């Protein structure tokens, strides 16, 4: 157990290093960072001065190792637009993004798992077909379209929720429902498929022969054994929610990291873009590590590969 945890922790550190490396070089492959950070009308002297002040005129490998050293100490430089620490700005916006992502994944898990269990329990019935059609529709709708429709119906027509901003829990409802709309489908499909597979196992057939009711087989014995693939999907979707909340936060003017990234890109705020992407990458890798620990809790028979 300890060896497995240590191994996964070291793998996570390597993944973070890989993410940091990709962020560093991708930014530079897109062009001269000094030119990207200045407006198009900037003169050559201004570009050269900024390049020198930020150290972009040094050899690339020297910049890279200095970047790694600064990353370890939490120094991502100052935002060019806000004139504050880039990391501090990201951390200030992160709670709003986490509130949105956690609320959305809770909705997606509750609705998706419930739909998947009911669909497996009512296999090949009208209810099963109805759920599958609903899942197909939710997965086909673009997030921005869902958000706009929610605003038109529940905010503009019914006046039940605000259209933008963060003014408490009531402001969280529409963004969370919008962000949860897509993940419901893969969670429900995976839950249905995994549970149906478990119900066909020999020990479940034996339980049925011993007189166990189908409801008891599903809820008491089948559900936990069907969770592993579902946990994988949930963890992946949660990471995607954090990383992909840009559209939802922009539609609802939600003051999170996604909206901050949009502002940073439009302002050519290179340090802020770099800090935002790296923090999100670290969170995604951390979620993956926690997922592996949950695997061990669900099924201690998992061995180190």
């Amino acid at each position: 157990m300890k060896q497995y945890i240590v191994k996964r922790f070291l793998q996570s550190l390597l993944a973070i290093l890989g993410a940091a490396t990709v962020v560093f070089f991708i930014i530079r492959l897109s062009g001269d960072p000094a030119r990207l950070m200045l407006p198009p009308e900037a003169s050559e002297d201004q570009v050269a001065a900024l390049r020198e002040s930020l150290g972009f005129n040094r050899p690339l490998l020297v910049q890279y190792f200095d970047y790694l050293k600064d990353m370890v100490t939490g120094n991502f430089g100052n935002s060019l637009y806000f004139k504050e620490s880039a990391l501090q700005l990201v951390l200030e916006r992160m709670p709003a993004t986490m509130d949105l992502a956690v609320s959305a994944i809770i909705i997606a898990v509750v609705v998706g798992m419930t739909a998947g269990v009911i669909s497996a329990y009512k296999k090949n019935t009208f209810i099963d077909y109805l759920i599958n059609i609903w899942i197909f529709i939710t997965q086909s709708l673009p997030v921005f379209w869902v958000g706009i429709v929610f605003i038109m119906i529940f905010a503009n027509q019914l006046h039940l929720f605000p259209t933008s901003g963060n003014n408490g829990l009531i402001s969280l409802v529409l963004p969370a429902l919008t962000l949860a709309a897509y993940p419901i489908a893969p969670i429900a499909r995976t839950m249905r498929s995994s549970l149906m597979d478990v119900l066909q196992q020999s020990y479940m057939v034996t339980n049925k022969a011993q007189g166990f009711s189908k409801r008891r087989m599903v809820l008491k014995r089948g559900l936990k054994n069907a969770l592993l693939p579902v946990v994988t999907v949930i963890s992946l979707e949660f990471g995607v929610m954090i990383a992909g909340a840009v559209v939802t936060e922009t539609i609802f003017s939600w003051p999170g990291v996604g909206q901050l990234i949009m502002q940073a890109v439009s302002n050519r705020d290179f340090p802020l873009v770099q800090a935002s992407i790296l923090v999100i990458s670290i969170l995604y890798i951390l979620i993956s590590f926690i997922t592996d620990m949950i695997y061990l809790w669900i099924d201690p028979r998992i061995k180190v590969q």
Side-chain angles (χ1 to χ4, degrees):
M1 177 77 75
K2 290 182 179 179
Q3 289 181 347
Y4 180 78
I5 294 175
V6 170
K7 180 181 178 180
R8 286 296 295 116
F9 178 74
L10 293 176
Q11 289 175 345
S12 298
L13 291 180
L14 288 175
I16 292 173
L17 176 62
T21 302
V22 169
V23 170
F24 177 85
F25 286 104
I26 286 295
I27 291 291
R28 282 151 181 80
L29 286 175
S30 63
D32 185 354
R35 289 193 178 277
L36 294 175
M37 293 163 63
L38 289 173
E41 61 271 14
S43 66
E44 289 295 330
D45 290 339
Q46 291 174 318
V47 174
L50 179 60
R51 189 182 294 120
E52 183 176 355
S53 66
L54 296 178
F56 291 150
N57 57 339
R58 296 173 299 161
L60 190 60
L61 285 179
V62 174
Q63 296 182 49
Y64 173 67
F65 286 113
D66 285 345
Y67 162 74
L68 292 181
K69 182 180 67 176
D70 291 340
M71 184 188 73
V72 172
T73 60
N75 179 20
F76 291 90
N78 289 329
S79 164
L80 297 178
Y81 181 79
F82 295 100
K83 309 300 180 183
E84 300 177 31
S85 167
L87 180 61
Q88 185 62 34
L89 287 169
V90 175
L91 295 180
E92 287 175 358
R93 296 289 192 99
M94 186 55 68
T97 296
M98 292 303 296
D99 287 344
L100 177 58
V102 170
S103 301
I105 198 63
I106 290 174
I107 294 171
V109 168
V110 172
V111 177
M113 288 188 63
T114 302
V117 171
I118 294 174
S119 185
Y121 185 77
K122 298 289 187 178
K123 178 184 176 182
N124 295 330
T125 64
F126 175 75
I127 294 177
D128 181 27
Y129 295 138
L130 195 63
I131 290 176
N132 284 324
I133 292 173
W134 170 65
I135 288 173
F136 175 78
I137 293 174
T138 58
Q139 196 170 20
S140 303
L141 299 177
V143 172
F144 70 88
W145 187 86
V146 173
I148 292 173
V149 169
F150 280 171
I151 289 175
M152 291 175 60
I153 296 175
F154 298 105
N156 294 338
Q157 297 295 327
L158 300 179
H159 304 290
L160 296 177
F161 304 102
T163 59
S164 61
N166 182 7
N167 299 310
L169 289 177
I170 193 170
S171 301
L172 186 60
V173 175
L174 291 185
L177 288 173
T178 301
L179 194 58
Y182 179 86
I184 288 174
I187 292 173
R189 283 203 326 270
T190 306
M191 184 75 255
R192 179 183 185 274
S193 176
S194 180
L195 186 56
M196 287 173 57
D197 182 65
V198 168
L199 291 176
Q200 294 174 359
Q201 298 298 316
S202 57
Y203 67 92
M204 297 298 286
V205 176
T206 302
N207 289 338
K208 183 178 181 180
Q210 292 174 343
F212 286 91
S213 66
K214 188 175 181 180
R215 178 178 297 180
R216 183 178 178 184
M217 289 168 57
V218 169
L219 298 179
K220 296 292 185 180
R221 297 178 177 270
L223 194 57
K224 183 177 180 180
N225 293 331
L227 280 181
L228 274 181
V230 181
V231 169
T232 301
V233 172
I234 291 172
S235 65
L236 291 174
E237 293 298 334
F238 185 49
V240 170
M241 283 180 175
I242 296 175
V246 176
V247 175
T248 303
E249 290 186 2
T250 302
I251 292 172
F252 292 95
S253 297
W254 186 261
V257 177
Q259 190 185 57
L260 185 67
I261 291 175
M262 293 297 294
Q263 294 174 345
V265 170
S266 62
N267 294 322
R268 295 185 176 88
D269 198 335
F270 169 68
L272 189 53
V273 172
Q274 188 168 269
S276 301
I277 294 175
L278 190 57
V279 169
I280 289 175
S281 299
I282 291 173
L283 274 176
Y284 194 95
I285 293 166
L286 181 61
I287 290 170
S288 177
F289 176 77
I290 294 174
T291 301
D292 287 341
M293 299 304 101
I294 294 175
Y295 281 176
L296 292 177
W297 173 72
I298 293 177
D299 190 353
R301 297 172 300 173
I302 294 178
K303 302 295 183 182
V304 180
Q305 301 295 327

